[in-house]
Amino acid sequence: MFDARYRRAALALAAAVLYPGTAAGQTAPPSPPSDATSAAPPASDVAALRAEVQALRADLDEVRAAQAAAPSAPRATPPSPRPLGYEAFWPWVTPPEGISVGGYLQSQYETHQDSQDQLSQSGTTLNKDRFSIRRARVSLTGEWEYAAIALQLDANTTNGPQVDLRKAEASLQYRPDRKLPPILMATLGLFDAPFGYELDEAPHTRFFMERSVASQAFFPAEPDLGLRLAGALGFFRWTIAGQNGEPLGEASPFVLQDPNSAKDVFFRFGIDTRPLSDLHFAADVSSLRGTGFHAGTAATSATIQWKDLNEDGIIEPYELVPVPGAAATPSASFTRWAVGADLRLSYQSRLGVTKVYGEFTLASNLDRGLYIADPIVTGVDQGELGYYVGIVQDVTRWGVVGLRYDYYNPNFNAVDTRGGKLLPFSEAITTWSPMAGLVLRDRARLLVQYDVIHNAFARTAVGVPTSLADNVFTVRLQVEL
């Protein structure tokens, strides 16, 4: 209504200004006078025109006042510069329906205090001060009404140039609401072990360079082959899975295979919710029960060894040592388990997102990457304890800072022999990791991190365990597709 009245008033005012002799309601200008010296319009016409202009101005003022008093349409709340929580720590994504392609590249320089310009006994280099491609990954995901697929390839130079498969997931799902996680998803293939938060967090969303020491010891790499059932109902999340138990990256000849018929079984239950638009909260409990494998030995024949004791190069009878043959020993299996809990809280302020999180894990015979657990050899179970706490703070939308404390005890029943006595001692490794970086949202990150590490890798002059200099400085540039 206001727009129509405004247009009519504007047209009438324009006509009155351009054609002063036009009366209200006329549609054509008056004919020009036949005589250039004709008399001016009567005073009554001028007074009428002035009254009409004043009425039009009153209508315009009324229209403006009504428009100013009318409530404006509510504006949509602008989206957060980044989600308060990533979907990466659950086994589903929300891509556009159909096929989508992504990827990222992490190139870095790192320097280690324990680096040496030497070779180990096996011939590998002990120098760790180097440039490298930590991860170069390309992923393909497909998501339809009842099916989903995820493929991911990784290339890196961590141990020389190599390319391997990181994900190969074929899934069936029931997902009535495309904007929400599936109520039920069944996956068969190669996927990350569903234990805790850090293990399932996508590496390109993590601001700290690597997972905690305990997580890397338990799972040298994330993926393994198996079957997974997962789902979401409201804020409740759950995952049940069975895997071979020989994950990628393990120091074993059976990687991504299974030398025994028993499978590692995982349970993970938790909540993931945003009670407020600026607050995200999630918590989970996880458990793992599996079976480790100790390889047997083949039978050997009796042999003779020569030890050149006087180093003269001549075989002497006393330098010959008989080595008796040995019977074959069978392979054996052992039980391993772990329980854990994790918690994370993210809050968005004017400065940016503040994320506080932590995780705790208690395990037995699970170390497969650092202090390899094998109770068949040692005769005792190896108890392991690990936890970390961290905070990450956005500094506007262009920067980020963070700090993480990481603790891992690979054997809390460890003893040490000193002076002919068995003494308990701690093999715990602790790490303080300050981090800072520049960020281009959803495109690039330039991060620096310094790891201050305390361990029990060295010995003093009298044989007491002490810390070996092992601090690490890393600079990483990450660019995403």
Side-chain angles (χ1 to χ4, degrees), residues 410-451:
N411 187 2
F412 49 73
N413 295 319
V415 294
D416 185 41
T417 303
R418 292 201 295 269
K421 297 180 179 180
L422 291 178
L423 301 176
F425 87 107
S426 175
E427 295 179 329
I429 303 170
T430 62
T431 308
W432 287 95
S433 301
M435 175 274 300
L438 300 175
V439 179
L440 297 176
R441 294 296 178 196
D442 301 321
R443 187 59 60 195
R445 297 175 177 180
L446 178 61
L447 303 172
V448 295
Q449 179 175 317
Y450 188 72
D451 297 322

Side-chain angles (χ1 to χ4, degrees), residues 7-19 52-53 56-57 60:
R7 286 195 296 270
R8 289 198 301 269
L11 290 174
L13 181 59
V17 172
L18 294 175
Y19 309 107
E52 186 175 357
V53 170
L56 291 174
R57 286 177 177 173
L60 288 176

Side-chain angles (χ1 to χ4, degrees), residues 195-353:
F195 187 91
Y197 164 68
E198 194 179 31
L199 190 62
D200 284 350
E201 183 185 19
H204 70 283
T205 66
R206 183 189 308 121
F207 280 100
F208 291 99
M209 301 295 172
E210 304 298 337
R211 291 182 283 121
S212 63
V213 176
S215 181
Q216 294 184 72
F218 298 150
F219 301 92
E222 298 89 352
D224 195 2
L225 289 162
L227 170 66
R228 179 185 66 206
L229 299 177
L233 187 60
F235 58 80
F236 179 67
R237 306 285 188 266
W238 64 274
T239 303
I240 301 174
Q243 293 185 317
N244 285 341
E246 306 291 336
L248 196 67
E250 185 182 40
S252 166
F254 312 111
V255 172
L256 295 185
Q257 304 175 61
D258 200 350
N260 52 37
S261 59
K263 307 306 172 191
D264 286 7
V265 179
F266 297 83
F267 294 90
R268 185 181 179 212
F269 301 96
I271 60 174
D272 191 343
T273 181
R274 289 184 66 169
L276 301 173
S277 61
D278 56 1
L279 181 65
H280 175 261
F281 174 77
D284 312 288
V285 292
S286 306
S287 68
L288 156 66
R289 186 172 181 84
T291 303
F293 182 77
H294 169 81
T297 59
T300 61
S301 302
T303 60
I304 294 179
Q305 289 184 350
W306 170 46
K307 294 182 179 180
D308 192 3
L309 299 177
N310 56 13
E311 299 183 354
D312 61 356
I314 300 175
I315 299 176
E316 302 290 347
Y318 63 86
E319 295 177 338
L320 298 177
V321 180
V323 179
T329 60
S331 298
S333 299
F334 57 90
T335 299
R336 59 190 179 202
W337 57 266
V339 292
D342 60 88
L343 175 71
R344 51 200 178 275
L345 183 69
S346 299
Y347 174 73
Q348 185 172 18
S349 63
R350 293 184 178 181
L351 187 62
V353 176

